[in-house]
Amino acid sequence: MLLLFETPGGFALFKVKNEGKLANVEDLGKEFASPDSARKMVKLKAFDKFDNTSEALEAVAKLLEGTPSKGLRKFLKANCEGETLAVADSKLGNVIKEKLKIDCVHNNGVMELLRGVRSQFTELISGLGDQDLAPMSLGLSHSLARYKLKFSSDKVDTMIIQAIGLLDDLDKELNTYAMRVREWYGWHFPELAKIISDNILYAKSVKLMGNRINAAKLDFSEILDDDVEEKMKEDSVISMGTEVSDLDLLHIRELCDQVLSLAEYRAQLYDYLKSRMNTVAPNLTALVGELVGARLISHGGSLLNLSKQPGSTIQILGAEKALFRALKTKHATPKYGLIYHASVVGQAVPKHKGKISRSLAAKAALSIRCDALGDGQDNAYGLENRTKLEVRLRSLEGKDSSRLSGSAKGKPKIEVYDKDKKMGSGGLITPAKTYNTAADSLIGKTPTKSVTEDGEKSSKKKDKKKKKVEEEEPEKEESSKKKKKKKAEAETEVVEVAKEEKKNKKKRKHEEEEATETETPAKKKDKKDKKKTAFVWSSFRFDHLCRQFRLSIINCS
């Protein structure tokens, strides 16, 4: 059995002399108590030395990932034919078995054997001392740490994450301390809070003034404007605040010192953050600014993690709470998160903020990838994207409503279907009918008198009609009013006439009934005879007309 051992200087293969002792793991450590006993247990068979630090780094990095490097594969092929290999990593053993067809072993006995070899390593390999092994191990560990963390002395996003977190904490503390100064000193001079709105200027004025009685004697020209200074001195004389002791003023001044020191440190920290952002992520800084860019990196965990996110995720980064609430309640999802505070989104009209934030997120994703994975150190790409976004913003704000999609003017024209056109070609089945333009020509033709006279008459008639219409318009307005009155009067008359007619009908029916009752039977017989004679005469006349019609048809034929 062979044992694979990784060292800072190269790979070593040890021949295990007594494989039976691997079963007793507890007693295996005693075999490496001294160098002589260790030499009886294992023996160095081969050693592959690294040529330089980069080769060592590549080989060790591959081992950490569970794959053998190119040099290790050559070394094992040359020295492990027909042997069983003991390895420290089971994943590495599986890869070696698949690719190199070498049987690998990994168990507790192998791990204890490796621990013993490590304790007596300098004695088992001749020519390698502790004084040589220590600097080699330190250099390789530093190189490996830089490789794993993607370390760069110029690009340390961890500093940005810490700086933006501290900056937010300082803002909270400054606000708390400044409000405490206003409330505390407000008992003595309450009018000053309305005169000076800035917290830093307020703290400087309180520290210089102390008691409000001293305001008239002091010069505030270095701190305040002339108008504000005069207003403060006037109100200090007629202030309605209470008197405070010197001890109270002492503590208030110390609190003002804390506010001013925090404000000064915050300014220094902001300058540091600005310089780091321009170094680490210049394109992102040019696109969204220092503070928004630093908050995006802090929220993503690192610049590399942020570069793996799509634009849609960057757009709502920081609005996770609103996103999950919208998904739970089935409402509209948020349009922006931390990116809302960018200057480009702030310049947009509220109805265009969603479109601009989507475009900004897409450009920010490309800029972040350029910063994290690119070799360039300038912000040319970020400035180019910034100009494109500003152009898009101006086009959205100045776009004509008729050119928007869905409007009438913006829709494409619909061509009329022509049934005479052939399928798939522009020709016609039947020849196109052409209009004879020569028929419209009037050259050589003189208009007749009748035509001219008719034209004059028609024009005169039109003029007369226009005059009549103009004269009748005011008369129509007056007549319409009169007609309305007449209609109302006529309606009342019609109702009265209808009532009278109903009464007359009733009277007539009553008279007819009386007359029929008084008629004699002789008169009734006369009426019936008259009706019969009238019917016979009409039928005779009809027969006569039919005979004449037949005779006329015969004559015509």
Side-chain angles (χ1 to χ4, degrees):
M1 179 186 287
L2 297 178
L3 176 67
L4 178 63
F5 191 80
E6 306 94 11
T7 69
F11 293 108
L13 275 177
F14 289 93
K15 177 70 176 178
V16 180
K17 294 181 178 180
N18 193 353
E19 297 181 9
K21 291 184 179 180
L22 294 175
N24 298 325
V25 179
E26 295 178 357
D27 298 334
L28 193 59
K30 297 177 182 179
E31 300 293 331
F32 292 91
S34 63
D36 296 333
S37 61
R39 289 189 187 96
K40 292 178 182 178
M41 189 65 191
V42 292
K43 180 184 177 181
L44 182 65
K45 183 181 180 182
F47 186 81
D48 185 23
K49 185 181 177 181
F50 296 133
D51 295 334
N52 48 40
T53 309
S54 60
E55 184 182 350
L57 176 62
E58 182 184 358
V60 175
K62 288 285 185 69
L63 284 177
L64 291 174
E65 294 173 359
T67 56
S69 62
K70 187 176 180 181
L72 179 59
R73 289 197 297 269
K74 289 182 179 179
F75 178 64
L76 293 176
K77 283 180 180 179
N79 298 290
C80 294
E81 290 184 1
E83 296 284 345
T84 303
L85 186 66
V87 294
D89 188 7
S90 60
K91 185 179 178 181
L92 177 65
N94 293 329
V95 175
I96 291 172
K97 188 175 181 180
E98 289 177 4
K99 291 186 177 180
L100 303 177
K101 308 300 181 183
I102 298 172
D103 294 333
C104 295
V105 178
H106 173 77
N107 50 34
N108 293 334
V110 172
M111 297 303 293
E112 191 67 27
L113 187 64
L114 285 169
R115 192 176 294 110
V117 171
R118 192 176 294 111
S119 63
Q120 300 293 337
F121 179 67
T122 54
E123 299 295 335
L124 293 172
I125 298 178
S126 60
L128 184 64
D130 293 335
Q131 66 276 9
D132 299 327
L133 188 62
M136 290 168 61
S137 301
L138 184 62
L140 182 59
S141 62
H142 284 176
S143 301
L144 186 61
R146 290 191 189 97
Y147 174 79
K148 287 179 68 178
L149 299 173
K150 304 292 187 295
F151 181 83
S152 174
S153 59
D154 296 329
K155 294 190 175 185
V156 187
D157 51 5
T158 308
M159 304 301 173
I160 293 173
I161 296 169
Q162 298 296 331
I164 191 63
L166 181 57
L167 195 68
D168 292 337
D169 293 339
L170 281 176
D171 287 335
K172 292 179 183 177
E173 292 295 326
L174 261 174
N175 189 31
T176 305
Y177 280 19
M179 294 306 296
R180 186 65 61 189
V181 170
R182 286 177 178 273
E183 291 178 3
W184 201 346
Y185 195 73
W187 288 98
H188 180 58
F189 193 3
E191 293 82 5
L192 186 63
K194 293 182 180 179
I195 297 170
I196 303 173
S197 59
D198 187 71
N199 292 329
I200 307 303
L201 296 179
Y202 187 91
K204 288 181 179 179
S205 303
V206 170
K207 182 183 177 183
L208 180 62
M209 180 169 48
N211 199 318
R212 67 170 185 266
I213 301 171
N214 302 327
K217 304 174 186 178
L218 298 172
D219 183 18
F220 296 90
S221 59
E222 295 181 358
I223 304 170
L224 305 173
D225 296 334
D226 295 336
D227 299 337
V228 179
E229 184 180 358
E230 290 177 4
K231 179 68 174 171
M232 184 182 67
K233 289 180 179 180
E234 290 175 1
D235 291 351
S236 64
V237 179
I238 58 172
S239 177
M240 58 182 293
T242 61
E243 295 295 332
V244 293
S245 62
D246 295 337
L247 185 62
D248 297 332
L249 290 174
L250 178 63
H251 286 287
I252 292 171
R253 281 180 170 174
E254 288 180 357
L255 183 58
C256 291
D257 290 335
Q258 294 291 327
V259 172
L260 295 175
S261 63
L262 284 174
E264 185 179 357
Y265 178 61
R266 188 199 177 281
Q268 294 175 1
L269 185 64
Y270 178 72
D271 292 337
Y272 166 75
L273 179 65
K274 191 174 180 180
S275 64
R276 297 307 301 168
M277 281 296 297
N278 287 322
T279 305
V280 174
N283 294 296
L284 180 63
T285 305
L287 195 62
V288 299
E290 296 87 5
L291 293 177
V292 178
R295 286 194 175 91
L296 286 172
I297 293 172
S298 176
H299 204 83
S302 67
L303 186 64
L304 189 63
N305 290 342
L306 193 64
S307 65
K308 298 175 183 177
Q309 303 296 334
S312 58
T313 303
I314 294 171
Q315 182 181 355
I316 59 171
L317 205 66
E320 290 84 1
K321 197 173 181 180
L323 174 65
F324 294 136
R325 191 194 311 120
L327 293 174
K328 187 177 180 180
T329 57
K330 296 182 180 179
H331 284 80
T333 54
K335 297 178 181 177
Y336 26 65
L338 292 170
I339 211 168
Y340 178 79
H341 301 285
S343 59
V344 179
V345 179
Q347 294 172 9
V349 182
K351 65 178 181 179
H352 295 149
K353 283 185 185 293
K355 294 180 180 178
I356 289 297
S357 64
R358 184 168 61 251
S359 302
L360 179 60
K363 299 294 184 185
L366 298 176
S367 299
I368 291 165
R369 289 164 192 167
C370 184
D371 291 330
L373 308 172
D375 297 331
Q377 298 292 331
D378 57 348
N379 58 353
Y381 189 70
L383 292 174
E384 182 183 354
N385 289 334
R386 179 66 180 262
T387 53
K388 288 179 181 178
L389 285 171
E390 289 176 352
V391 169
R392 173 164 170 75
L393 179 60
R394 286 197 296 271
S395 66
L396 282 173
E397 291 178 350
K399 187 179 286 186
D400 189 8
S401 61
S402 63
R403 293 179 180 268
L404 293 173
S405 61
S407 61
K409 292 183 180 178
K411 289 181 180 177
K413 292 181 179 179
I414 299 171
E415 296 182 356
V416 181
Y417 173 72
D418 191 356
K419 64 180 181 180
D420 293 333
K421 284 190 177 180
K422 291 182 179 179
M423 296 296 291
S425 64
L428 296 175
I429 295 171
T430 57
K433 295 178 181 179
T434 56
Y435 181 75
N436 187 11
T437 55
D440 294 335
S441 177
L442 297 176
I443 298 171
K445 296 180 181 180
T446 55
T448 57
K449 289 182 180 180
S450 60
V451 174
T452 54
E453 287 175 358
D454 291 337
E456 290 176 357
K457 287 179 181 179
S458 62
S459 61
K460 287 180 181 180
K461 287 180 180 179
K462 287 180 181 178
D463 294 336
K464 287 181 181 180
K465 286 181 179 178
K466 286 181 181 178
K467 288 180 181 180
K468 285 181 180 181
V469 170
E470 291 175 356
E471 291 174 357
E472 288 176 356
E473 281 180 356
E475 294 177 357
K476 284 181 180 179
E477 292 178 357
E478 294 177 357
S479 62
S480 62
K481 293 179 181 178
K482 292 178 180 180
K483 285 179 180 178
K484 288 179 181 179
K485 291 181 180 180
K486 289 180 179 180
K487 282 182 180 179
E489 294 175 355
E491 287 176 357
T492 54
E493 290 178 357
V494 169
V495 172
E496 292 177 356
V497 170
K499 290 180 180 179
E500 291 179 356
E501 286 181 355
K502 286 182 180 179
K503 291 179 180 179
N504 294 330
K505 285 180 180 179
K506 288 180 180 179
K507 288 180 180 180
R508 288 171 187 170
K509 285 182 180 179
H510 186 64
E511 290 176 355
E512 288 176 358
E513 288 176 357
E514 290 178 351
T516 53
E517 288 176 357
T518 54
E519 281 181 357
T520 57
K523 289 182 180 180
K524 290 180 180 180
K525 286 182 181 181
D526 293 336
K527 285 183 179 181
K528 288 180 181 181
D529 295 335
K530 286 180 181 179
K531 287 179 180 179
K532 287 180 181 180
T533 53
F535 176 74
V536 171
W537 174 251
S538 62
S539 61
F540 174 75
R541 191 176 179 184
F542 179 73
D543 294 337
H544 180 68
L545 290 171
C546 290
R547 286 174 191 154
Q548 287 182 350
F549 182 69
R550 288 170 187 165
L551 292 171
S552 62
I553 291 169
I554 291 166
N555 292 328
C556 290
S557 61

